[in-house]
Amino acid sequence: MKLKPLNDRVLVKRLESEEVSAGGIIIPDTAKEKPMKGKIVAAGPGKADDSGKIIPMTVKEGDAVLFNKYAGTEIKIDGVEHLVMREDDILAIIEM
């Protein structure tokens, strides 16, 4: 299934969290928090301003991003969890 977000929304796939802490302790799946990092899979065209002109998105497909902990709506596409969120919920682009 292919999904194209509308307006200023993006489709994000969460990046996997690390299974070992900095001190070397292995973290079980039940104790892990969901990661707040993800990769943009698809992005909408942008938000319209008051005059109807489209303001382009700051993020694009392939960008690694950091987002709010409770941002977006979780959906499953072909058995893989994704988030649909507004561009405003993205805090930063991660440069690797």
Side-chain angles (χ1 to χ4, degrees), residues 14 35-37 66-72 83 85-86 88-92:
R14 287 186 196 267
M36 295 185 307
K37 291 189 270 186
L66 182 67
F67 50 86
N68 288 324
K69 189 172 191 173
Y70 300 107
L83 290 168
M85 67 179 70
R86 290 191 175 277
D88 293 344
D89 291 332
I90 296 173
L91 303 173

Side-chain angles (χ1 to χ4, degrees), residues 19-69:
E19 296 180 11
V20 179
S21 71
I25 298 171
I26 297 174
I27 303 167
D29 288 339
T30 56
K32 288 183 193 174
E33 286 191 23
K34 291 188 176 183
M36 295 185 307
K37 291 189 270 186
K39 184 175 181 181
I40 304 289
V41 176
K47 188 189 292 189
D49 63 8
D50 293 335
S51 65
K53 182 181 171 193
I54 300 292
I55 301 169
M57 301 280 278
T58 307
V59 296
K60 62 186 179 309
E61 268 185 49
D63 283 349
V65 294
L66 182 67
F67 50 86
N68 288 324
K69 189 172 191 173

